[in-house]
Amino acid sequence: GAVVSQHPSRVICKSGTSVKIECRSLDFQATTMFWYRQFPKQSLMLMATSNEGSKATYEQGVEKDKFLINHASLTLSTLTVTSAHPEDSSFYICSAPDRDPDTQYFGPGTRLTVL
Amino acid sequence: GESVGLHLPTLSVQEGDNSIINCAYSNSASDYFIWYKQESGKGPQFIIDIRSNMDKRQGQRVTVLLNKTVKHLSLQIAATQPGDSAVYFCAEKSSTGGFKTIFGAGTRLFVKA
């Protein structure tokens, strides 16, 4: 099946700094990618839909100025957590559909810890 | 963001027994449903899916049942193995809702050897 990668797999940063997380589709092109956040012992919550060549669509309650999304190419979407705070510590997961829009391929996730 | 429910219920089964994991979904307009398995520190893995025009679908050792009347989904795992221990999420999509996949609350499955 198709492969989605994320980088880094883990990141620790100081409060107030910004962190960029990359999501790549390795063997297919994705005009759309999705970003999820998962707190411990909870479900995945959809944050935003990343659209290649246009603005991302954010879910209700997600601050677009805090979670900057850029989808500059058909294989790469980035999520930047700006001015990170300890409450932003979470597991961030991206996904992308292949040709069949119903088939989602998930990345391995990025563990963000903000000190 | 959207989600259905918080905090994970737990199901503990003996190795070799059958497991049944249940899920209530939220959107009556959803027409495609998926079960995912998530191991600790990893992204979700696809297990099985079902469309709303079906009420049952079988895979290898897994069966998904869909009851649209009560908006209920279940995953049955036959002859549960220690490697099945993980968190299981149901997810739903609507053809009118773009490509968004909305996840349910999840259930942690413990398999005792």
Side-chain angles (χ1 to χ4, degrees), chain A residues 36-80:
Chain A
Y36 293 83
R37 179 169 53 181
Q38 185 177 30
F39 292 111
K41 297 185 180 180
Q42 294 189 20
S43 186
L44 283 75
M45 291 187 64
L46 180 65
M47 299 175 67
T49 303
S50 174
N51 303 299
E52 189 267 334
S54 64
K55 291 182 180 180
T57 306
Y58 290 82
E59 295 300 304
Q60 191 173 8
V62 178
E63 300 174 58
K64 59 183 178 183
D65 294 332
K66 180 164 183 64
F67 298 100
L68 300 179
I69 291 173
N70 186 289
H71 195 149
S73 79
L74 287 170
T75 58
L76 174 64
S77 174
T78 60
L79 169 68
T80 301

Side-chain angles (χ1 to χ4, degrees), chain A:
Chain A
V3 177
V4 173
S5 71
Q6 285 183 238
H7 178 79
S9 57
R10 291 176 177 270
V11 56
I12 300 172
C13 69
K14 293 181 180 179
S15 188
T17 60
S18 294
V19 175
K20 181 186 284 189
I21 302 169
E22 294 183 347
C23 177
R24 292 182 185 273
S25 56
L26 296 186
D27 48 2
F28 67 102
Q29 294 182 332
T31 56
T32 303
M33 291 183 175
F34 299 94
W35 286 97
Y36 293 83
R37 179 169 53 181
Q38 185 177 30
F39 292 111
K41 297 185 180 180
Q42 294 189 20
S43 186
L44 283 75
M45 291 187 64
L46 180 65
M47 299 175 67
T49 303
S50 174
N51 303 299
E52 189 267 334
S54 64
K55 291 182 180 180
T57 306
Y58 290 82
E59 295 300 304
Q60 191 173 8
V62 178
E63 300 174 58
K64 59 183 178 183
D65 294 332
K66 180 164 183 64
F67 298 100
L68 300 179
I69 291 173
N70 186 289
H71 195 149
S73 79
L74 287 170
T75 58
L76 174 64
S77 174
T78 60
L79 169 68
T80 301
V81 183
T82 62
S83 187
H85 288 97
E87 56 265 31
D88 298 323
S89 298
S90 190
F91 195 49
Y92 291 86
I93 304 170
C94 71
S95 73
D98 198 347
R99 290 178 206 154
D100 176 1
D102 282 338
T103 304
Q104 292 278 345
Y105 296 97
F106 285 83
T110 296
R111 173 76 58 195
L112 170 64
T113 302
V114 184
L115 302 176

Side-chain angles (χ1 to χ4, degrees), chain A residues 100-103, chain B residues 30-34 49-57 64 66 68 95:
Chain A
D100 176 1
D102 282 338
T103 304
Chain B
S30 292
D31 49 18
Y32 178 62
F33 305 88
I34 317 103
D49 59 0
I50 189 168
R51 298 199 180 273
S52 58
N53 60 353
M54 302 173 70
D55 52 23
K56 180 179 180 178
R57 190 162 187 227
V64 55
L66 173 64
K68 295 183 290 293
S95 55

Side-chain angles (χ1 to χ4, degrees), chain B residues 8 22 32 37 42-43 52-53 56 59 62 68 78 88-89 92 106 108:
Chain B
L8 302 175
N22 296 302
Y32 178 62
K37 173 185 180 182
K42 297 183 179 180
S52 58
N53 60 353
K56 180 179 180 178
V62 293
K68 295 183 290 293
Y88 290 82
F89 292 99
E92 59 186 298
R108 181 174 297 281

Side-chain angles (χ1 to χ4, degrees), chain B:
Chain B
E2 299 179 58
S3 182
V4 179
L6 297 173
H7 308 294
L8 302 175
T10 299
L11 174 66
S12 185
V13 300
Q14 199 69 38
E15 181 180 2
D17 287 352
N18 296 334
S19 303
I20 299 176
I21 300 171
N22 296 302
C23 173
Y25 63 91
S26 61
N27 186 0
S28 54
S30 292
D31 49 18
Y32 178 62
F33 305 88
I34 317 103
W35 279 99
Y36 290 97
K37 173 185 180 182
Q38 187 181 30
E39 296 174 318
S40 182
K42 297 183 179 180
Q45 291 174 264
F46 172 91
I47 300 174
I48 192 168
D49 59 0
I50 189 168
R51 298 199 180 273
S52 58
N53 60 353
M54 302 173 70
D55 52 23
K56 180 179 180 178
R57 190 162 187 227
Q58 288 185 288
Q60 190 176 16
R61 276 203 313 121
V62 293
T63 300
V64 55
L65 299 177
L66 173 64
N67 185 331
K68 295 183 290 293
T69 303
V70 295
K71 292 193 288 187
H72 184 268
L73 202 62
S74 69
L75 176 70
Q76 300 176 4
I77 305 174
T80 315
Q81 302 168 359
D84 295 327
S85 293
V87 177
Y88 290 82
F89 292 99
C90 66
E92 59 186 298
K93 295 178 77 170
S94 164
S95 55
T96 59
F99 301 139
K100 295 195 294 187
T101 302
I102 305 302
F103 281 75
T107 298
R108 181 174 297 281
L109 176 66
F110 283 112
V111 181
K112 295 176 285 188

